[in-house]
Structures are given as C-alpha cells and as structure tokens.
Amino acid sequence: MSQAYEHLSIEKKWQDIWDAEQAFKADDSDLTKPKFYGLIEFPYPSGAGLHVGHPRSNTALDIISRKRRMQGYNVLYPIGWDAFGLPTENYAIKNNIHPEIVTKQNIDHFREQLKKIGFSFDYSREVNTTDADYYKWTQWIFLQLFKKGLAYKSEIAINWCTSCNVGLANEEVVGGVCERCGGEVIRKTKSQWMLRITDYAQKLLDGLEDVDFIEKVKTQQRNWIGKSQGALVKFNVPEYNDNLTVFTTRPDTLFGATYMVISPEHPMIDALGSKIKNLDVVLAYREEAQKKSDFERTETAKDKTGVVLEGITAVNPLTNTLIPIWVSDYVLMSYGTGAIMAVPAHDERDWAFAKKFDLPIIEVVAGGSVQEEAFTDIQSGTMVNSGFLNGMSVAEAKKAIIEYLTEKGIGEAKVNYKLRDWVFSRQRYWGEPIPLVYCEKCGWVPVDEHELPLRLPHTDDFIPTADAQSPLAKLEDWVNTTCPKCGGKARRETDTMPQWAGSSWYFIRYVDPHNTDVIADKEKMNYWLPVDWYNGGMEHTTLHLLYSRFWHRFLYDIGVVPTKEPYLKRTSHGMILGENSEKMSKSRGNVINPDDIVAEIGADAFRMYEMFMGAFDQAIPWSTKGARGCRRFLERVWRLQDIIKEEPITQERESMLHGMIKKVSDDIELMKFNTAIAAMMTYVNDIYRLGSISKEELKTLLVLLNPVSPHITEEMWELMGFEGRLYQTAWPICDETKLVKDEIEIVVQICGKIKAKLMVPATIDKAGMEKLVEENDTVKALVAGKEIKKIVAVPGKLLNIVAI
RNA sequence: GCCGGUGUGUUGGAACUGGCAGACGAGACGGACUCAAAAUCCGUUGUCAGCGAUGGCGUGUGGGUUCGAGUCCCACCACCGGCACCA
C-alpha cells in the first residue's frame, strides 16, 4: 500500500527543489532556440493579498508554459509588481506608514502566496514599478514622448474624482463614477500633462489586423477608438469674422440642414460677445451646462435643452438660406469641432431638438416619413430636394458633395476618432515623478537623461494640498531647482504619473531586467519580443491594453523595440464569482481566500479546480465542494501506485492512452482546460475499471497531468523511480495509428429514431453501410414489412433508413 | 438605442465540420466495509407512463430548412458584458 497523499510536505518539498535548481529560469545563453514568452498581468500587490481570481489567469498560462518547456521551448514566464497607486497611498495615509514599507510588505506576502501555488515563474526577473532602477526607464520613455511632442501640458476640463482628489483619464471614468473608488466625478479645469494617443488612433486600429486577439477585445478597442469618416463643412456667419466649421458624417444631407448647434463651451460665443442680443441668457445656459457632470448630462439625454443665438445667423452654403444657430449641451466641445449642422429629417437627435423647438424639417433622402420620425437609413434612400444631388443614392451623394465642397474650398473629407488624449498627471505622491522642470525663461525643460532616475523624494506627509496639488508641492527643497538649459531658477513638476505608466512597458523590461545602460538589450529584445501569449482581464481592454500598445508602437517608431505590436495573442479569463453567484467582495462576505483552500486540499487540487470549474472565458461561481472533487481525483491518481501490474498492452489500452494524449494536448492549446482534465479523469476511471495500470501508462499520465498539478506528479515520478525530473521530460506525442480500432460502433436509425447499435469493421465504406440493410439480421428485422424510401449512410457513424 | 456574449438535468458544465444530448465533476438516493461514523468502493440519478422489455416528451419561446437540429435560417423573450447626445 502506498503512503497517504500528504500534500503539505510534498508541495513544500518540490517548491524548494525548483527554487534550488532554478528550474524555470529563462535561458539567455542560446538565442537561437525556439522561444515562448507567456505573460500574465502583473499583480497590484494590495494589502488584501491574493484573490482566487489571480490564480485563474496565472494557472492557465502556467500550464501552457510548463507544456511548452516539455515541448522543447525556451520559455519566459515572468512575474513582477505593479506597485504604485492609490490604494497603497490611501492605506499609508490612514495608518501613517510610508507607502514604501507597505509596498514591500505586500509584495513579500504576494510572492509567498504565489510560490505556495507552485507557479513556474522565473523569479530572477522580477520587476517592481516602484523601484528607481525600473522607473528610471518609465521616466525615460516619458521624456522621449515629450521630445517628440507627444506629451503636452494643457489647461483642460478634466474628470475629477471628488473622493480620491485626483484627475482621471476618460478611460478611468466608468458610468460617470471613478473606476477605482466609485466616487463622484465632476468636470474640473486644471493644467494637466496629456499624451497624444490620438495621433496613434489609426496605427492602433491598423495594428489589430496583425494580431491574434480574441474578437471581443478587438471589437471593444475598435469601438473605443471610434473611427468615423465624414467631412468638414464651413458655414459663413456674417456677424462672425470667421466661418463656423462643422464635422458631419452625412455631408450628403447638407441641403436639409435647417439650423446649427454649437456646444456651450464653443469659443464663438466669446468672440461674438455682445453681438449676441441675448448674451446673458446664453451665458447663463453655459454656466448651467458646466455644472453638470458627464453623468448628469447623459442622464438627461432624451430631454433636449438649448437657447438660440439672437441676432446671429449662418448661411447654408448650398441653398444660401439663412439658418439660426442654437446652443445646446447635446453637442460636445470635445468631439469634432464642437459645432454641428442639424439635419432633423435624417438624424434622431436633431429631429428631437427640432420637434421641441419647432424648427423646420426638410426631407432630402426619400424613403421615410420625416414628419413622424427621423429617416436614418443610408442603404435604401434616394436624394431629393437636393439640387445636383437629386436621384443619387446616399453613397453617391456623399462622394459627389465632398468633391464639390473641396473644389469650392468650403469643405473637405475628414476622419474623426472618439478616442481622446490621455490625461497623464496625477496629483498624488505614490507615483513616478514627471521628470520636467519649469523655467520662466525656457518653459518646460526635460531633466537631463543622465540625471534619471528622478527619485521620488521621501516625505511623511502624503496628503494633497488644499488647492488639490500633489503632496510633492509641499517639498520646497525638492521643487526648487535650476533649469538644465539656462541654469536659472526653475521649479519641478510636482504631479506624478498615473498607475498605467509603469504597466505600459513592463513586458519589455522582463527581457533584460537588470540592464543599467539601456531599457533592454537589443539582441534579447529581438529574440524574446513580442510576447507570444498574453492573458488578462477584459476590464483592461481599453485601459492598460490600449495604453501599452500605444507606448510600444511609439517605441517602435523611434527604433527602440523591434516589433510594431507588443502582444501576438491575447486571451481573457472569466471572473470567479462567490458561491452565491455574486461578485466576490468583502461587503458581500463571499470572498474565498486561496491560502485556506491551498492549506486544506493542496495547491495541486486548487490549481486543477480553478481550471476544471468551467469554460475558461466565462464567469463561474466558486464551489468548495467542487474543489474537493478535484482533490478526490488526485487521491485516485495517487493510489494508482497500488495497482501497478506489468501486463501486455492491449489495443484497447493503447487507444485509451493515445486518445487521452490527443485530447489533453489539443484542449490545452484551446484553453479548454476543463475538458482536458475531464479526459484524464475518464482515463483514470477506465483504468480502475480494468483493474491495473502499467508503469509506462502511468508515466504518460503523470507527464500529461504535470502542468496542471505539478507537485504530486513530480513526487510520484520520483517514487516510481523514473529517470530525471518530470519537469524536464518530453511531452508525449499522440500516435494517431493507435487510435484506429478494428471494429467501431455505428447507430442504426429508422426515420431518425435510434433503433439499434452495431459493431462493424472500421474500414467500412458507404456502399458497405448500405449493404447492411440487406445483409445484417438486426437491420433486416427492423425494416421487415416496411417500404424503404431512402437510405442515408455516413460511414463509421450511422445508418438512417427512411421506411414506412 | 447600438455592438458583443449567454440560455442544456437538482447543480458547475460536456457535445468535433449538423449525426447516440447530458461526458467529467458536485449533490442526492441505495448498497458494501465498520460496533458506529468519516474516508473508500459498488450501483442508481432528465422527465412522464408501465411490474417489465419498452414507449412518449425533452437543450429559453414560436416557426422554418434537413433523412436527421443543442448546433443552420427567420422572428421573439430573458439575462450578462461593453459603448452611448460621438454629429
């Protein structure tokens, strides 16, 4: 009898051995070997410790990485810490502990937890975004962006979280509230560092064509970038010494433009000043609109408001009629030109506005009934009331009108994106200092690159100032400096970078984490980049994933990295819900702590259950009972030691074994871990039914199971006296010829109903199948006395006889 | 409103290019072992009718295509995720 399966001692033993043997160190010594770079999103080391969600992604890529090593690849599977950020800072403020200390404690805790689960990370390449040796390069990248004009300071209305006291990027505002804390977000005008991600909109869109991302991710990024093709059209406003330019995707409807609308923040209002007869009303409306947060604006989306500019009109350039100009907050200053031409007949918003304020609706595309509702179909309509466009389709009219406008100099084709520039400043302490100084004479001047890293100065006062400035602003000694250009007096930028900075390029640093001269060695980058497989959460699709693609593409453009895209393949895991099918959270009291599970059933069973619980990309409720089922399975595997017997390997056994090899190998590649594990369970069930297993069969099973449950398999490998370490053993290859059987079972149906099952030779063809109707007694009995109308024969599968 | 996804036993979920629905796990029930319990092992477990062999029904709803539909097509319902006054 085998000893009991003691997971605690076994797991500790092998984790120590792997550490001592540096089993999972990526090899930089031979850069010609086939490589595999697997990546998971490096964790934010929060005080709460590891969550059961982390291991889902980690285990999945751990399985793939372990399998790749066994397949002979040089594997890089690294880990690091995304450690700057608000939660740590808030914790530090609350408990009066320096964030540096908190961060170190949390990282140590996380590392210990991860090691206990047995991930095959190359810990020698750990990176930490709060390390000066690391953020030196984060700052360096920022300076390159600055030098190329992609970083600029702007006085803009930003999203301001009233609870974190910090500015937010558009991507960080979710449903009108702060993505991180759920606090109310208002508009606030502040001078902020911005990154011109919009310059990269087209490149980011095009890049999606060349990568293997799950379709969901591509679609979400495309929607977020939001490309739309249209035209700019200039409208003459006699009272204004400038034209009023609009962006429209429907230049074909220009003849139907019966009024214009500008956003409340539009500069034309200030330029016209008292020429607007009801200026006081207009300014009051502007003030009212500015008070609203974005959230309130969208909430009142259906009920349109607005005021007309009295005494001001615009000229429709095609009809030469005078049309009124309105101000309304449904037109956003931040998109297009902040002004639109309103075509109520063919746009739902304009239609609603026209109905409310009783403005004329002129049909220019026939096909609907525009007095009842806006007709927006662009496929079927024909142009009417549109002069030279009459009779054309919408597509033809679009082309013709753009040509006409261009020729006359009153318009041009134009592409617009919904994507906005990235607000890059944070008024907080725990982030990378922005390496710029402000000099009265020279303006914004970058810190000399040799001065990097610009270290975050030590302070115990992390609270933002009363006027919502970073705590760094209080450190006068640090702030006051000299201008690197002219040597005169200068002040440092006191805002810090957002959390997304450090995580936008960490996968590059993993390639060469200890390099002190360059961001990473060229040859190493040529070898390891791009990341072959990146798994992470859907919630990062329009944040981290887009930002890091932007930075990477920029680094490619300036010749720093060798590839346009950072990630070849992107997959995504589903969330793990609480046992009550609700999102896990402290307040709901349904949080499962991985430590408890690992202690009770072991890391091997925990890993297995995380993969077995359901489809990898779907949200699944946790079930501790289900997890215990995986533990039971591992015990059954363990006890296979007791039924080892050397017997001749029958065809049935060979077929079982190779069927499992194929299923497990294929399913892991497709991330169908649940069915891969089920195949191993089925195999073990069959083995117990047969009553014995040979050493060779057990050997193969251990190899296949190793990526999922590495400790128990390595222990059994040693107990069985197999050669070397299991983690260094080659992955088995399915011998397809072993799957072929002499006889196979087919199904006999009468009118689609299953009536019998027959064993037939595996080589049977269609004619042979059809002959069964006359030659096989079972089939003959089924059709006796019936008239056969049709015979459908699928060789090796089924025979369906239509007979009455 | 738009885009994407999902809907299968008591339950988590399987089902390759249309071909045996419910693999594998959980739970439940029955049995063996035990003084007893736990653990383990064996068996049963979609539903209705029948002692039974067997037969009817069954993959959100309603239609359709097909010898054959969970899978394909049309219409609809419910839930989840993303975007949303983007001109």
Side-chain angles (χ1 to χ4, degrees), chain A residues 410-542:
Chain A
I410 49 173
E412 59 184 307
K414 167 80 180 170
V415 172
N416 244 321
Y417 300 92
K418 283 187 212 169
L419 187 68
R420 317 260 175 93
D421 277 342
W422 173 7
V423 181
F424 199 70
S425 307
R426 295 294 182 276
Q427 296 68 42
R428 282 307 191 107
Y429 174 71
W430 196 228
E432 300 88 345
I434 293 175
L436 294 172
V437 301
Y438 186 75
C439 167
E440 292 288 348
K441 230 170 34 198
C442 314
W444 285 105
V445 181
V447 167
D448 194 306
E449 280 179 24
H450 300 291
E451 302 284 313
L452 297 182
L454 172 60
R455 285 172 192 276
L456 183 63
H458 195 88
T459 177
D460 291 322
D461 179 7
F462 326 116
I463 300 167
T465 67
D467 56 342
Q469 284 204 65
S470 155
L472 294 182
K474 291 186 267 190
L475 306 174
E476 281 296 319
D477 284 353
W478 183 79
V479 172
N480 290 309
T481 183
T482 51
C483 172
K485 213 168 171 181
C486 71
K489 270 192 182 173
R491 290 177 64 81
R492 292 190 191 280
E493 171 59 58
T494 59
D495 282 355
T496 53
M497 299 188 196
Q499 205 187 343
W500 312 110
S503 60
S504 289
W505 70 281
Y506 71 114
F507 51 91
I508 298 171
R509 192 61 178 172
Y510 280 145
V511 165
D512 193 11
H514 309 297
N515 199 317
T516 49
D517 303 326
V518 287
I519 189 164
D521 176 72
K522 270 248 147 69
E523 250 180 78
K524 288 179 186 171
M525 283 198 278
N526 282 334
Y527 177 69
W528 288 112
L529 292 178
V531 171
D532 292 284
W533 195 329
Y534 191 18
N535 188 76
M538 279 310 290
E539 71 276 17
H540 289 127
T541 302
T542 54

Side-chain angles (χ1 to χ4, degrees), chain A residues 250 252-253 343-351 365-370 373-381 394 398:
Chain A
R250 296 293 306 274
D252 50 294
T253 62
V343 185
H346 305 290
D347 181 280
E348 276 162 29
R349 294 149 304 177
D350 298 345
W351 191 90
V365 184
S369 37
V370 299
E373 60 174 348
F375 178 67
T376 55
D377 186 356
I378 54 167
Q379 301 299 330
S380 67
V394 168
K398 253 185 203 172

Side-chain angles (χ1 to χ4, degrees), chain A residues 79-200:
Chain A
I79 182 74
W81 318 103
D82 186 16
F84 273 131
L86 277 176
T88 302
E89 183 169 341
N90 288 339
Y91 180 89
I93 292 171
K94 209 169 145 196
N95 299 285
N96 203 27
I97 307 176
H98 198 277
E100 212 170 289
I101 296 166
V102 179
T103 298
K104 193 181 173 311
Q105 286 170 352
N106 289 351
I107 287 176
D108 288 345
H109 183 215
F110 259 71
R111 189 188 300 105
E112 193 188 332
Q113 287 187 300
L114 290 175
K115 285 206 169 175
K116 277 195 179 152
I117 304 175
F119 295 123
S120 63
F121 292 128
D122 179 351
Y123 287 96
S124 73
R125 292 179 186 243
E126 245 181 83
V127 300
N128 173 350
T129 55
T130 66
D131 230 326
D133 291 338
Y134 180 90
Y135 69 67
K136 168 182 178 177
W137 297 104
T138 312
Q139 292 172 330
W140 180 84
I141 296 169
F142 176 82
L143 286 187
Q144 310 313 308
L145 288 159
F146 178 80
K147 287 174 185 170
K148 293 285 173 187
L150 291 168
Y152 63 100
K153 194 142 203 191
S154 173
E155 191 77 34
I156 53 143
I158 57 152
N159 306 298
W160 185 263
C161 173
T162 51
S163 153
C164 302
N165 267 326
V166 68
L168 302 175
N170 287 308
E171 288 82 350
E172 291 173 299
V173 182
V174 176
V177 300
C178 172
E179 183 243 355
R180 203 161 260 293
C181 75
E184 195 201 349
V185 173
I186 58 163
R187 305 293 289 179
K188 190 164 184 160
T189 304
K190 251 193 130 345
S191 179
Q192 299 281 304
W193 284 102
M194 309 283 292
L195 295 185
R196 277 188 220 283
I197 189 171
T198 49
D199 276 14
Y200 275 74

Side-chain angles (χ1 to χ4, degrees), chain A residues 490-665:
Chain A
R491 290 177 64 81
R492 292 190 191 280
E493 171 59 58
T494 59
D495 282 355
T496 53
M497 299 188 196
Q499 205 187 343
W500 312 110
S503 60
S504 289
W505 70 281
Y506 71 114
F507 51 91
I508 298 171
R509 192 61 178 172
Y510 280 145
V511 165
D512 193 11
H514 309 297
N515 199 317
T516 49
D517 303 326
V518 287
I519 189 164
D521 176 72
K522 270 248 147 69
E523 250 180 78
K524 288 179 186 171
M525 283 198 278
N526 282 334
Y527 177 69
W528 288 112
L529 292 178
V531 171
D532 292 284
W533 195 329
Y534 191 18
N535 188 76
M538 279 310 290
E539 71 276 17
H540 289 127
T541 302
T542 54
L543 289 157
H544 159 68
L545 198 66
L546 195 63
Y547 292 152
S548 59
R549 288 186 57 225
F550 163 46
W551 276 32
H552 191 84
R553 184 56 200 259
F554 166 72
L555 291 174
Y556 170 80
D557 287 349
I558 62 167
V560 173
V561 296
T563 61
K564 285 186 184 177
E565 286 291 326
Y567 320 116
L568 274 188
K569 179 175 179 139
R570 169 76 178 192
T571 52
S572 207
H573 54 273
M575 219 189 330
I576 295 182
L577 308 170
E579 299 216 51
N580 55 359
S581 296
E582 284 175 33
K583 206 171 160 172
M584 268 192 208
S585 74
K586 252 190 221 162
S587 58
R588 289 190 179 90
N590 59 355
V591 175
I592 302 286
N593 183 347
D595 290 348
D596 299 342
I597 306 296
V598 169
E600 186 194 330
I601 63 171
D604 283 332
F606 174 61
R607 292 167 59 109
M608 175 175 279
Y609 179 63
E610 288 255 344
M611 294 298 106
F612 180 66
M613 59 198 303
F616 181 67
D617 59 353
Q618 252 145 49
I620 303 283
W622 175 267
S623 158
T624 299
K625 281 187 174 147
R628 290 197 188 110
C630 289
R631 163 70 187 209
R632 271 202 279 273
F633 170 68
L634 289 182
E635 295 198 4
R636 276 165 72 77
V637 171
W638 182 257
R639 286 197 306 269
L640 285 173
Q641 296 176 76
D642 300 333
I643 59 161
I644 287 176
K645 217 193 263 175
E646 294 311 322
E647 277 181 310
I649 297 193
T650 59
Q651 197 188 26
E652 184 194 8
R653 283 179 168 274
E654 292 245 299
S655 161
M656 272 163 51
L657 187 71
H658 284 270
M660 170 174 65
I661 294 172
K662 184 171 167 53
K663 184 81 180 147
V664 173
S665 302

